[in-house]
Structure formats: C-alpha cells, structure tokens
C-alpha cells in the first residue's frame, strides 16, 4: 500500500497548494523507508532536484542533465592545470578507498565519480574538494543505477554494460542530488571544517545529557569524541554501517527537515548509546578507540536502522525544542 500511495503521489497533477501537500505527504510516507522500485524518483523529488509538477519533470531532467555536461565540457579538461591538479590528484587517490569495493574497482565507475567530484569542487571554491565528499556520491549513484536494472545486488553489477545515455543520466542525476545534499552541510567542508567541529561538540554535550555514564566513561579513559565522531559527521556514518543501511537512513534524512545536519546529530547520539554495554565493559583507551572505530554492524539491516531512527526521533523530540537542551 506504501508503494501504491507513493506512485499516486508521483503522478499527482494539482494546484500549487496541492504540490505543497504532495511534498508533505511524500515526506511522511518516506520517513519509514521507501520501497526499492520507487526510491529513485522519490529521492529526486525529496532532494528538490525534480519538481512536484508532473508536467515539468521531463523538461527539468533534460535541462539539468544538459547543464551538467556543459560544466564537464567547460571545466573537466582543466583537471591537469597547475591550479587544479592537486584537487584532481586527491580525488584520484580517494576513489579507490570508497565502499563498496566491487563498484569502486570498475573503471567506468571511477571515471564517473572523478568527473562528478571534480566538477563539484571547481563549482564550489569556498570548500573545494575535501575527503569524505567522495563517499556522498555512492548512495545516489547506486540508487539511480537501480532504476535501470533488475538485479538485486547492484554492487556486483557491471555498470559498463549499461547504454552510454543511461550512464550519462545516472551521472548527472547523482551530481545534482549530491549538490543539493551538500548545500545543506557545506560548512562541514569549508576550511578547518567548522561545521564538523561544532557538531562533534554538540554530540558530546547531548550524550552527556542522555547517558552521563557513557560520557563519563569515555572521559575517564581520555577518549575524545573527535577521535571517533569526526568520521561519523564527515562521512554521515557511511563508514560505520553497510551501504544498504546508509540508503535506508537517507530515506529518512531526506524526509526530515535538515535531516543531514540536524537530525543526523540525534542519530549519532542514538548510535553511540546503542553500544553502551560494550563501551562500559571496555577499560582500556586503545581497546575503546579500536571498538568505536570498528563497530560490529556488518550484519545490520532495515530492522536495526529502524530501531536507531526511532530512538533518534525520540531524542530529538525530548531535547530539540527545550531551551539550552544540550546544557546540563
């Protein structure tokens, strides 16, 4: 019934007021997870890349895809210029470190990611390219590949077998949706990454309020939040959970106002406290840090993510609107 409701939403032709209602309804239905077959279009709508108006969607896609490849034509040849070669070199180094492994080893995927990241960096000189941004392309790319293939496991699919036009569509759509996401968290990636520093500090204050015992335990063993949570903010937990879990998380993040910035903080707090038993049992700085940097989530799926999101929502509801809610 969720699929049916979502399909109805995608085909809804209405007045401007109706479009506002459509957005609200789509976010409500998507919060608890989007069925795989409708996720590509749902993400494009939720991110603001596609207009709610059905009649304008095809022309918008054509225009935006054309615009992206005009950027490629304009900027991509400059990747070896002296002023840009450091950026391109860093992107080139980071892509082989991406997850999942099977995708990143495909030359076609590497080529697409290099273009997306380089164009984004050139068009956003305030931050340029920063490690971590490379991970944020992957969920969009994988979800948009699913639009064109039957396979259950995209990770083992040979992307180069897709027609060139399809690959170009996936590339442009991934670029624009990643750009929309980054618009909301760009201070995470400007010089000295002030957004991340601030969020890690907020996480620390929030955890001290919701689970003082865990907070005190980390403090007593001289574990600094920056040592494990910097990556949680920088990569939006993508290095901590399997890709399937990231994709499910992003259904909700795109349904929440400021999901990738504000709500993510509560998800990180819920995620840390989820391991309280293991944290409190560990009495050694080194072992604690190793545990926090390698949390055992390899077998996680939708069920664990749903529990995590419900707890994050509870925390947000309990703390977000209280004055000085981070302060004791």
């Amino acid at each position: 019934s969720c699929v049916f409701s979502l399909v109805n939403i995608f085909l809804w032709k209405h007045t401007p007021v109706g479009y506002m209602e459509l957005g609200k309804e789509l976010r409500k239905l998507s919060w608890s997870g989007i069925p795989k077959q409708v996720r590509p279009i749902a993400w494009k709508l939720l991110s603001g890349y596609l207009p709610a108006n059905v009649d304008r969607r095809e022309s918008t896609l054509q225009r935006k895809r054309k615009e992206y490849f005009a950027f490629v034509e304009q900027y991509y040849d400059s990747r070896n210029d002296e002023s840009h070669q450091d950026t391109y070199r860093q992107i080139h180094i980071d892509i082989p470190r991406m997850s999942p492994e099977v995708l990143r080893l495909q030359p076609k995927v590497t080529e697409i990611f290099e273009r997306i990241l380089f164009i984004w960096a050139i068009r956003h000189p305030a931050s340029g390219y920063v490690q971590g941004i490379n991970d944020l392309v992957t969920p969009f790319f994988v979800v948009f590949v699913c639009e064109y293939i039957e396979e259950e496991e995209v990770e083992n699919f040979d992307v180069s077998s897709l027609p060139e036009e399809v690959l170009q569509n996936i590339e442009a759509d991934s670029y624009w949706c990643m750009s929309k996401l980054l618009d909301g968290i760009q201070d995470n990636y400007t010089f000295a990454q002030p957004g991340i520093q601030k969020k890690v500090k907020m996480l620390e204050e929030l955890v001290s309020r919701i689970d003082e015992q865990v907070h005190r335990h980390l403090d007593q063993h001289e574990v600094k939040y920056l040592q494990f949570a910097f990556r949680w903010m920088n990569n939006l937990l993508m290095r901590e959970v399997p890709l399937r879990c990231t994709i499910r998380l992003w259904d909700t993040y795109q349904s929440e106002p400021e999901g990738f910035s504000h709500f993510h903080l509560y998800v990180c707090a819920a995620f840390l406290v989820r391991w309280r038993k293991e944290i409190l049992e560990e009495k050694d700085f080194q072992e604690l840090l190793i545990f926090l940097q390698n949390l055992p989530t390899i077998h996680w799926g939708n069920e664990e993510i749903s529990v995590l999101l419900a707890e994050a929502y509870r925390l947000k509801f309990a703390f977000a609107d209280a004055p000085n809610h981070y302060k004791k």
Side-chain angles (χ1 to χ4, degrees), residues 158-199:
D158 177 11
V159 171
S160 65
S161 65
L162 287 168
E164 192 56 37
E165 188 191 350
V166 164
L167 285 171
Q168 288 187 348
N169 292 348
I170 293 166
E171 179 175 343
D173 296 349
S174 299
Y175 170 83
W176 287 115
C177 290
M178 181 196 81
S179 297
K180 292 275 190 191
L181 186 170
L182 284 166
D183 285 348
I185 55 170
Q186 206 180 336
D187 69 340
N188 282 8
Y189 303 105
T190 50
F191 180 71
Q193 302 188 255
I196 290 181
Q197 306 277 349
K198 184 180 165 196
K199 283 175 189 136

Side-chain angles (χ1 to χ4, degrees), residues 87 90-100 103-104 109-110 112-114 116-118 120-121 128-141 174 178 181-182 189 193 231 234-236 238-239 243 250:
T87 296
Q90 189 59 57
I91 290 168
H92 195 69
I93 290 167
D94 285 350
I95 286 175
R97 299 171 178 162
M98 282 180 348
S99 172
L103 265 184
R104 74 183 182 212
V109 176
T110 299
I112 289 170
F113 275 53
E114 283 181 357
I116 289 173
L117 292 165
F118 184 76
W120 190 87
Y129 173 74
V130 177
Q131 275 178 304
I133 293 177
N134 54 312
D135 279 339
L136 307 185
V137 185
T138 308
F140 291 116
F141 182 79
S174 299
M178 181 196 81
L181 186 170
L182 284 166
Y189 303 105
Q193 302 188 255
R231 190 172 70 184
N234 196 50
N235 304 69
L236 296 175
M238 280 191 66
R239 295 292 169 111
L243 180 61
W250 285 23

Side-chain angles (χ1 to χ4, degrees), residues 228-281:
F228 60 89
F230 184 91
R231 190 172 70 184
W232 297 10
M233 303 301 174
N234 196 50
N235 304 69
L236 296 175
L237 287 178
M238 280 191 66
R239 295 292 169 111
E240 320 313 316
V241 297
L243 180 61
R244 62 183 175 274
C245 295
T246 294
I247 288 171
R248 170 61 195 89
L249 261 182
W250 285 23
D251 289 343
T252 301
Y253 281 8
Q254 294 184 91
S255 311
E256 270 282 323
E258 300 183 328
F260 290 98
S261 52
H262 188 62
F263 189 62
H264 179 66
L265 176 70
Y266 294 96
V267 171
C268 287
F271 188 59
L272 180 62
V273 172
R274 156 76 178 72
W275 308 101
R276 79 182 308 273
K277 179 176 173 286
E278 293 87 343
I279 290 168
L280 295 175
E281 280 171 2

Side-chain angles (χ1 to χ4, degrees), residues 2 5-6 9 24-34:
C2 179
S5 306
L6 283 164
I9 282 178
K24 209 182 289 179
E25 192 61 26
L26 176 59
R27 284 194 295 276
K28 199 165 84 182
L29 284 167
S30 302
W31 204 98
S32 302
I34 303 169

Side-chain angles (χ1 to χ4, degrees), residues 69-138:
F69 281 102
F71 293 156
V72 171
E73 205 168 307
Q74 185 179 350
Y75 299 116
Y76 199 55
D77 282 347
S78 73
R79 65 192 181 279
N80 295 315
D81 291 2
E82 207 174 321
S83 55
H84 295 150
Q85 64 186 15
D86 285 351
T87 296
Y88 182 68
R89 193 182 300 123
Q90 189 59 57
I91 290 168
H92 195 69
I93 290 167
D94 285 350
I95 286 175
R97 299 171 178 162
M98 282 180 348
S99 172
E101 194 173 80
V102 185
L103 265 184
R104 74 183 182 212
L105 295 176
Q106 295 186 34
K108 195 72 194 169
V109 176
T110 299
E111 187 190 310
I112 289 170
F113 275 53
E114 283 181 357
R115 269 198 300 271
I116 289 173
L117 292 165
F118 184 76
I119 300 304
W120 190 87
I122 296 306
R123 292 197 46 79
H124 296 82
S127 60
Y129 173 74
V130 177
Q131 275 178 304
I133 293 177
N134 54 312
D135 279 339
L136 307 185
V137 185
T138 308

Side-chain angles (χ1 to χ4, degrees), residues 55-72:
D55 299 328
R56 284 180 41 227
R57 285 182 202 162
E58 197 47 48
S59 61
T60 300
L61 280 177
Q62 284 176 9
R63 178 171 53 80
K64 296 303 278 182
R65 287 164 178 172
K66 203 170 156 189
E67 192 181 340
Y68 169 73
F69 281 102
F71 293 156
V72 171

